[in-house]
Every structure is written in structure tokens, then in C-alpha cells.
Amino acid sequence: MLNRLEAQSPDALLALIKLHAADERPDKVDLGVGVYRTGQGDTPVFAAIKRAEQALVDTQESKSYLGPEGDMGFVNALMPYIFGTDATMGGRISGMQTPGGTGAVRLALALAQRAGMERLHMGTPSWPNHKQIIDDLGLELAAFGHAKADGTANLDAVLAAIRGAAPGDGVLLHGCCHNPTGIDYAADDWDAIGDAIAETGIFPIIDTAYQGLGEGLEEDAAGLRSVLAKVPEAFIAYSCDKNFGMYRDRVGAFYIMAGEGESETLNTAFSNANALARASWSMPPDHGAAAIRLILRDRAMTEVWLDELDQMRSRMRQVRERLAEAGVAGGVDLAPLGSQNGLFSTLPVTKEQVVRLREEHGIYMAGSGRINIAGLTMDNIEKFIGALADVTG
Ligand code: LMR
């Protein structure tokens, strides 16, 4: 039976981790997979997480099963950060824990499919795993261009996609820090998107994997909140992998917003989400979510976390400013990167130029031209700009 399987190439982004590890050049630069790095190039465990983990060691009494919804204390403690002071929007929003943001996206799309969605509109380029999940579920992908050549978001394209959607279609939006372009919608854009969704009835699914890494925790949630204020129903996929540095612990959450007074609908939707989770991973891993719950319920630990998040954001801003200042490097204008957000930006480079950067300069980035901004430090940024000028000039 196994002979019937066709070999699959490894996930290109994850394969890059191994390629980089095998490179023995001491001045190699990793701009591949999306993990935050300090100015020294490290990805340390957050101090707030260390404290919470110690508290877990000291106080956790059992590791017995919780259930498909995971740690609801964690799920609820996050909600004011995502949705604001009226965190449930009058009881319309509720959530459950998932294994990372990927688990949340998978669950959102599988549940939407169960509710009748067959086609999903999505701006491209997008995070490559979005398409893998869409394909795996057998959904139809209707792609529209996310960005314009000047490095800003293509509002007309998303509005045309929403307005042209058929009944029962969905639209997948990045809440902030667009992966892979760093190009987010402006506040007015989000308003127009929310209005268009409300007019057409297309089902919105908002993936928020980088809250706090763009403009700030509140600012990064503003687009999502403005859409939720206008539409009757929505799914939100959330990741704590980046903003709590929990990558391999797989901490995510899935939220559903139902219509006003539709608490039965919300319960029914969750009974389906729980059944899907049970059939997929049964229940999510507990450790990371439990640690984050402890942080969010303790004022002092929350302050430590917020401070760490501020430091990450300001370091990435500093890198972006330096890149923007450099202006044109060879054939690439770096100026737009200054106003983009989060861990990523995508450079207009060819696959051949990406290979040359890797082979000749030891600079690793995704084949799409996406770079991880946090892989640049004040020590390697000039080398990067020079190498880019070399291969694109
Ligand atoms: C990325 O895009 O690099 C991250 O979201 C990590 C991943 O799972 O792909």
C-alpha cells in the first residue's frame, strides 16, 4: 500500500532551518523562518514565561486531561487583549485553545467547510501554510493580489473580491503584520473592508499571529475590532507563538463571534469545533497555555511580558528604519520597509538571486524573497544591504 504514495518535497520554509544549520560559515545570516531574534541573534525564552513555568513546576497539581477546548482560563484571559474591554462583545464571542496558530487556522477552515463554505478568498502572497491547509481540506482558493507595487495594500483588490463573492464564500484576512509582506491595511481600509463584508455577507476569517509585533498590542488589534463591530459572524485564529515566544510549545486559540442574541448558535458552533478538535488532536498541549494563563492573571508578570514585547517591537522598528534609510540597494528599493509591520517583508528578488544570496553570501531567506526582519542585527545589516546590492545590481 505504501508504494502508492508519491514523495512530497519538504516544506520549503522548514527545510531552510536545516540548510542554515548545516552551513559552517561563521558570518551566515538567517532570515528564514519567522522567529524573533535579539540584537545578539538569540531567541531566548521570555523572562515572564520562565517565571510562569517555575510557578507551574511549584504549583501544578495534575496533568490529567482537560478536554478538546483546552485551558479555558488561558483562552478567556487573552480575550481583552484581542477584543478590547467588552471582550465577549456582549456574549457574542467565545473561544477554545488550539495547538498553535496553525491548529486555529485548520479548525477555522474545517468548521467553515462543515458549515457549507466551499470557496475561500485570500490575498496572495500569503503564508504558504494557508494554501496547504486550504488544499488539504479540498476548499477552492480564490486568490486576489494583496499588495501594490509601491509596497502598500491593494484595497481595491480585496473589496472587489468581497463584492464579487458568491453566497457561502469566505475571506481570509491577516489581522496585522501581514505574512509574508509586512503590508497591513490602514484604518480606513479596514473600515471599508468591514462595510463590504457586512453588505455582501461573505464569511470573515481573521488570522492574527503577530499581535504586538507591529505598532503595539492595541494598535495591532484595531483592524480586527473594526471588522467585528460591523459584521454578524466571524472566526478568529490566534497564535501566541511569536508574542510570547512559545513557538515549539504550540499555543493558539480559536474564537467564534456569533450574531447578537444567538447564544444557541454559538454553542452549536462550538459543539462542532470540539468534535473536529477531538477527531484531529483530541486536546491541545497544555504547558504553554497554562504558563500564559499565569502571566495574564498576575499583574507583575504581565508587566514583564509587556516590557519584553515592547523591546522586540522597538528592535524591529530600528532594523526597519536602518533598511529604509539605506534606500536603494542594487535593484531593490528598501524605503517601503520602513512603513511595513512585523517580522516580515518581501523583497522583489528572483529565485536565482535568493540562491546567490545563500551560496555566495551565506544569507538565508525564503524562495519568495521574504525576509525575517528580526534576523538582521546592527552587526550584519550592512553585510545584508551590500550582498543585496551585489546580487541585484
Ligand atoms: C513563518 O511563517 O515563518 C512562521 O509562521 C513559522 C511557520 O510555521 O511557518
Side-chain angles (χ1 to χ4, degrees):
M1 196 175 80
L2 297 184
N3 293 338
R4 295 190 204 137
L5 294 173
E6 279 173 31
Q8 305 288 313
S9 40
D11 183 284
L13 200 54
L14 302 184
L16 213 54
I17 299 175
K18 291 194 178 134
L19 270 183
H20 176 263
D23 188 331
E24 284 175 2
R25 284 172 283 188
D27 61 346
K28 63 186 175 180
V29 180
D30 182 6
L31 308 181
V33 76
V35 296
Y36 175 75
R37 292 183 203 287
T38 64
Q40 287 68 47
D42 306 320
T43 306
V45 181
F46 280 36
I49 291 287
K50 282 278 188 199
R51 273 168 72 171
E53 287 182 319
Q54 191 55 56
L56 272 182
V57 169
D58 295 341
T59 61
Q60 194 172 44
E61 282 169 356
S62 174
K63 286 191 182 284
S64 171
Y65 293 126
L66 286 176
E69 69 279 14
D71 186 327
M72 287 303 289
F74 152 78
V75 171
N76 293 332
L78 262 183
M79 289 179 71
Y81 292 93
I82 311 172
F83 304 112
T85 38
D86 179 13
T88 66
M89 291 188 60
R92 290 176 60 199
I93 306 181
S94 185
M96 64 192 282
Q97 192 201 327
T98 57
T102 302
V105 172
R106 172 89 198 186
L107 190 53
L109 297 192
L111 184 58
Q113 184 178 43
R114 201 179 248 215
M117 184 182 79
E118 290 175 3
R119 188 159 66 146
L120 185 64
H121 298 261
M122 181 176 82
T124 56
S126 191
W127 180 46
N129 213 19
H130 281 149
K131 179 167 162 32
Q132 293 185 156
I133 296 171
I134 291 167
D135 289 349
D136 190 48
L137 286 168
L139 290 164
E140 184 192 333
L141 170 62
F144 60 88
H146 172 67
K148 294 192 289 198
D150 66 359
T152 59
N154 191 340
L155 178 65
D156 293 341
V158 64
L159 292 181
I162 293 170
R163 292 191 179 124
D169 284 3
V171 60
L172 179 68
L173 300 165
H174 296 228
C176 64
C177 303
H178 185 269
N179 179 4
T181 66
I183 299 171
D184 288 335
Y185 295 116
D188 289 351
D189 297 349
W190 280 112
D191 265 347
I193 291 169
D195 288 337
I197 293 173
E199 278 159 29
T200 61
I202 193 172
F203 192 87
I205 300 170
I206 306 180
D207 185 7
T208 297
Y210 301 93
Q211 191 189 0
L213 273 69
E215 305 276 345
L217 270 176
E218 284 291 300
E219 294 84 341
D220 292 352
L224 169 142
R225 290 181 199 169
S226 89
V227 170
L228 296 188
K230 292 171 192 273
V231 301
E233 299 179 327
F235 287 167
I236 300 93
Y238 194 87
S239 174
C240 294
D241 291 355
K242 306 342 189 250
N243 58 5
F244 284 87
M246 293 303 268
Y247 313 96
R248 69 175 77 153
D249 272 327
R250 314 304 302 137
V251 193
F254 169 56
Y255 295 92
I256 301 176
M257 185 180 84
E260 224 163 318
E262 304 248 17
S263 58
E264 264 318 299
T265 311
L266 193 58
N267 289 341
T268 304
F270 271 106
S271 70
N272 281 274
N274 277 321
L276 284 167
R278 175 68 169 148
S280 308
W281 48 76
S282 189
M283 49 200 89
D286 176 66
H287 176 82
I292 293 175
R293 166 174 44 79
L294 291 190
I295 293 173
L296 296 181
R297 284 187 177 169
D298 179 284
R299 209 181 170 82
M301 277 198 273
T302 298
E303 289 302 323
V304 175
W305 166 61
L306 291 173
D307 193 47
E308 293 182 283
L309 199 54
D310 279 350
Q311 285 175 36
M312 288 166 72
R313 190 172 51 248
S314 43
R315 196 185 99 63
M316 289 193 291
R317 277 276 150 230
Q318 205 188 0
V319 170
R320 286 189 177 280
E321 274 160 27
R322 175 64 202 111
L323 291 171
E325 246 171 54
V328 176
V332 177
D333 183 8
L334 293 169
L337 275 69
S339 51
Q340 295 168 1
N341 283 326
L343 272 181
F344 307 116
S345 282
T346 296
L347 305 177
V349 289
T350 63
K351 290 215 178 321
E352 291 70 34
Q353 289 165 340
V354 170
V355 171
R356 280 190 62 200
L357 280 167
R358 183 163 76 229
E359 290 179 351
E360 294 171 26
H361 298 279
I363 293 172
Y364 287 73
M365 59 198 268
S368 61
R370 186 190 84 168
I371 57 168
N372 173 6
I373 294 293
L376 293 170
T377 66
M378 291 304 137
D379 293 332
N380 66 23
I381 198 164
E382 302 309 326
K383 169 188 156 109
F384 168 70
I385 294 167
L388 193 62
D390 176 42
V391 303
T392 63

